[in-house]
Amino acid sequence: MQPDTVIRALGALAQEHRLAAFRLLVVAGPDGMPAGAIAEELGLPASSMSFHLAQLVHAGLATQRRQSRSIIYAADFDAMRGVMGYLTDNCCGGASCDPAIAAPASACG
């Protein structure tokens, strides 16, 4: 993943309503949620929610599809994993930080 892509994703998440919407989409899973349900859940006007969801789509963190008269948004889990992978690449000097794998006490303290 390129640094500019990660910066765009992190920038999109650096706003409370977009972060909350993205977390809802993660919980919803691959089926996603209609924009109206997201707005209702977060207590935001539909026009504001549309703006925030568009920002998540533009950042590559969410996808949208039309289903009848609704627009369904879903988290892009590959993109999410890509951002997480970028942020944790070379973590602990390349040693495993997985607590299930025994590591020296000084690693990832």
Side-chain angles (χ1 to χ4, degrees):
M1 184 164 272
Q2 297 297 315
D4 60 323
T5 303
V6 174
I7 291 167
R8 192 170 46 250
L10 293 175
L13 294 174
Q15 200 284 339
E16 69 176 303
H17 300 307
R18 289 193 290 270
L19 179 60
F22 184 73
R23 293 187 69 188
L24 276 177
L25 294 176
V26 169
V27 171
D31 291 339
M33 292 179 72
I38 299 168
E40 185 176 316
E41 181 76 25
L42 298 180
L44 293 173
S47 59
S48 293
M49 194 73 261
S50 292
F51 170 79
H52 292 303
L53 291 168
Q55 295 301 307
L56 291 173
V57 170
H58 176 72
L61 293 170
T63 61
Q64 66 180 14
R65 70 182 186 281
R66 182 163 292 284
Q67 184 176 329
S68 186
R69 293 179 35 177
S70 297
I71 298 178
I72 307 298
Y73 289 87
D76 185 326
F77 291 99
D78 288 335
M80 180 183 74
R81 282 189 288 275
V83 169
M84 294 303 298
Y86 182 88
L87 293 173
T88 59
D89 190 34
N90 298 317
C91 176
C92 302
S96 175
C97 293
D98 186 346
I101 299 172
S106 63
C108 296

